[in-house]
Amino acid sequence: MSRQIECVTNALCIVGESPLWREETRTLFMVDIHGRRIRSIDWDSGRVSDWVMQQQTGALLLEESGGLLACMEDGIYRIDHAGNAKALFAPLALAGPRFNDVKVGPNGCIYGGTIHYEGKGAFYAIDPHGRMRTLLTGVGNANGLDWDTQRNLFYFVDTPTMCVFRFRFDPVSGNISQREVVRKFSPEEGNPDGMTMDAQGKLWVALWGGGHALRIDPDTGETLDEIRVPASNVSCVAFAGTNLDEMVITTAAHNTMLRKEPLAGSVFRIRVDVPGRPQWRFRAKEGEEKRIC
């Protein structure tokens, strides 16, 4: 298929990340981590609105109501319509300076990890009551994550390892086990960063420093497709649009020369053959109930 990549906005981000589609309002949310901004983009008009936050935000989540959650330096916050942050689960004792990539899992719990420049970060599960437990330690930079619910598999990127890993996922306990390597990337390909799964169970991986995103077969590690963008530091990928058939790709201006890469830090979109899947949403609960993750 002939594909044309489009720059959604050239309002540049230092480190654009965590694109998140909300279909009710046809809004794409994303963050600029180093710019301490949460950005919303009207999908039809392209209008950009920014909220400047007190902390860096690593990732965004949606609540069942459509509300927005921000995973920040010391925990998880609700963001209201004016961009004000109110603690939901904060402060949390995190291993590292902040959350990095975070998603809601198929069992309704929040899963995500931290960045730690000495490799002492962690990966956590947080249940709807806000109870957090550690699933992995020794994490350098917790990045892309997603689930194959048909096969009870969980996929995860720890960027310094250059690997996409696969785990068995227990949908009842929320535990992960039996780690194995799906694909180890070469330095020439770039560093694996954000990741998402399409409706056929294939993985799209953003390659920081590689200027592209790759679609890979998680069973063989084989590259099935490639999307190149005019920016070397590709940070994350997600699906958006009416039929979730548009790939959104965020990039970063950080550590680039804008004279050579004037669109570094932009966000791009491109139509793809295989659509994505709706993201799971979070519903916080009150009271004491059985732990589910």
Side-chain angles (χ1 to χ4, degrees):
M1 151 177 108
S2 176
R3 299 185 299 198
Q4 183 66 40
I5 195 161
E6 175 187 347
C7 180
V8 178
T9 174
N10 60 0
L12 304 184
C13 290
I14 304 171
V15 179
E17 261 283 7
S18 190
L20 180 68
W21 171 248
R22 185 169 70 186
E23 66 266 18
E24 301 98 309
T25 56
R26 294 184 59 79
T27 303
L28 180 73
F29 292 101
M30 59 179 292
V31 302
D32 181 354
I33 297 177
H34 290 189
R36 293 188 175 182
R37 289 181 293 169
I38 296 175
R39 170 167 291 175
S40 64
I41 304 172
D42 183 275
W43 196 246
D44 299 311
S45 70
R47 183 175 63 85
V48 173
S49 300
D50 282 348
W51 296 319
V52 178
M53 313 308 292
Q54 294 298 310
Q55 299 182 27
Q56 290 186 350
T57 302
L60 300 172
L61 310 171
L62 286 178
E63 297 192 83
E64 281 189 355
S65 63
L68 191 66
L69 299 179
C71 306
M72 294 186 168
E73 294 174 16
D74 67 354
I76 297 174
Y77 290 77
R78 277 197 173 106
I79 309 299
D80 68 17
H81 294 294
N84 301 304
K86 181 180 179 180
L88 176 62
F89 304 138
L92 296 173
L94 300 177
R98 61 169 168 81
F99 273 117
N100 200 48
D101 213 340
V102 186
K103 288 183 179 178
V104 180
N107 61 349
C109 295
I110 294 172
Y111 289 84
T114 58
I115 184 170
H116 196 292
Y117 300 108
E118 297 177 356
K120 298 178 182 178
F123 184 80
Y124 305 100
I126 303 172
D127 76 9
H129 304 281
R131 296 173 296 202
M132 183 174 75
R133 65 191 181 101
T134 302
L135 300 183
L136 295 172
T137 58
V139 173
N141 188 358
N143 251 310
L145 64 159
D146 218 325
W147 290 258
D148 182 336
T149 56
Q150 292 185 337
R151 300 193 292 170
N152 289 330
L153 298 173
F154 171 67
Y155 296 92
F156 172 64
V157 170
D158 184 1
T159 297
T161 69
M162 300 294 284
C163 291
V164 175
F165 296 103
R166 176 169 53 213
F167 297 79
R168 299 300 305 177
F169 177 73
D170 186 323
V172 177
S173 69
N175 288 334
I176 58 175
S177 61
Q178 302 177 35
R179 178 165 64 176
E180 57 184 338
V181 174
V182 170
R183 167 96 173 244
K184 187 176 179 70
F185 293 91
S186 69
E188 293 73 27
E189 291 175 305
N191 301 280
D193 202 319
M195 179 174 67
T196 192
M197 178 175 284
D198 66 25
Q200 292 182 350
K202 310 305 182 190
L203 296 171
W204 279 97
V205 185
L207 279 302
W208 180 280
H212 58 174
L214 298 181
R215 184 178 188 241
I216 67 172
D217 186 328
D219 291 326
T220 65
E222 174 189 4
T223 296
L224 304 174
D225 199 357
E226 177 187 32
I227 296 173
R228 298 205 65 85
V229 299
S232 56
N233 290 335
V234 181
S235 54
C236 200
V237 287
F239 291 97
T242 303
N243 300 309
L244 295 179
D245 60 353
E246 293 189 72
M247 175 72 69
V248 173
I249 304 172
T250 55
T251 67
H254 182 62
N255 283 342
T256 64
M257 295 183 62
L258 290 176
R259 285 179 296 176
K260 294 184 177 180
E261 297 182 36
L263 292 179
S266 300
V267 58
F268 302 91
R269 70 182 184 184
I270 186 170
R271 199 168 297 277
V272 290
D273 290 318
V274 181
R277 311 168 303 168
Q279 291 296 301
W280 293 285
R281 297 188 177 196
F282 186 69
R283 181 166 68 91
K285 297 180 180 178
E286 296 181 359
E288 287 299 316
E289 295 182 12
K290 182 179 179 182
R291 185 185 295 276
I292 60 172
C293 68

